[in-house]
Amino acid sequence: MSEALQAALRYLDTLPAADSVQHKNAILYLYHLILFKRPETEREGLIQLIQSHTTDTEVRNIIMIGAEALIEQGARETTLENTVAILTARFPQADVNTLKPVLEGITDLDRLKALNLHASLVSSLRAFRHELEG
């Protein structure tokens, strides 16, 4: 994939300045293609390759915002998984998975992190539920 992307980017670099809108659109298309269709393990290197072939500030900002959103999404998912794992280990008799939909509905990463810490310190699942609902 990297070689094909490099070839496409080299071609885009040959476009005349009058075609800057097409160049920008093509770069953004390639970025979205990588973001949504390539495995996570390939994304970072391919996105860096795209960034190295554009000086357009708007395109760079879009790519950076997308990367930040992916990082936050990954942090949310990891924090949620860790919280469920902690609660499952601490309270093996309880059905912790019933809390998962509520946790998944929390978009604030700081709140999820606080709940993760609370999961490791709380004395009972009931107390955790109270904190979760509060």
Side-chain angles (χ1 to χ4, degrees):
M1 177 65 182
S2 180
E3 290 176 21
L5 181 60
Q6 286 176 353
L9 292 168
R10 279 193 301 273
Y11 173 76
L12 289 174
D13 287 343
T14 66
L15 291 176
D19 293 333
S20 65
V21 172
Q22 287 84 0
H23 183 272
K24 179 169 86 174
N25 289 339
I27 292 286
L28 289 173
Y29 174 78
L30 291 170
Y31 166 70
H32 285 103
L33 185 68
I34 290 164
L35 190 62
F36 296 110
K37 296 294 184 181
R38 299 309 304 166
E40 190 174 333
T41 55
E42 289 182 16
R43 287 184 199 146
E44 185 177 342
L46 295 174
I47 289 172
Q48 286 177 354
L49 187 57
I50 288 176
Q51 285 178 313
S52 71
H53 278 269
T54 185
T55 57
D56 187 309
T57 305
E58 183 180 358
V59 172
R60 286 182 159 287
N61 287 342
I62 289 170
I63 290 171
M64 289 305 296
I65 289 168
E68 289 169 3
L70 278 178
I71 290 168
E72 184 161 337
Q73 179 185 359
R76 273 191 71 253
E77 290 172 4
T78 300
T79 303
L80 188 139
E81 290 170 8
N82 288 343
T83 302
V84 170
I86 289 168
L87 291 170
T88 300
R90 295 201 58 225
F91 309 108
Q93 305 303 323
D95 186 10
V96 174
N97 285 326
T98 60
L99 300 175
K100 205 168 182 184
V102 178
L103 290 167
E104 288 171 342
I106 299 171
T107 57
D108 181 4
L109 181 57
D110 290 332
R111 171 102 169 103
L112 279 175
K113 287 179 180 179
L115 287 167
N116 181 264
L117 178 60
H118 191 64
S120 64
L121 302 173
V122 71
S123 60
S124 68
L125 191 59
R126 171 180 263 155
F128 182 82
R129 270 196 194 105
H130 179 38
E131 179 68 24
L132 182 60
E133 293 167 358

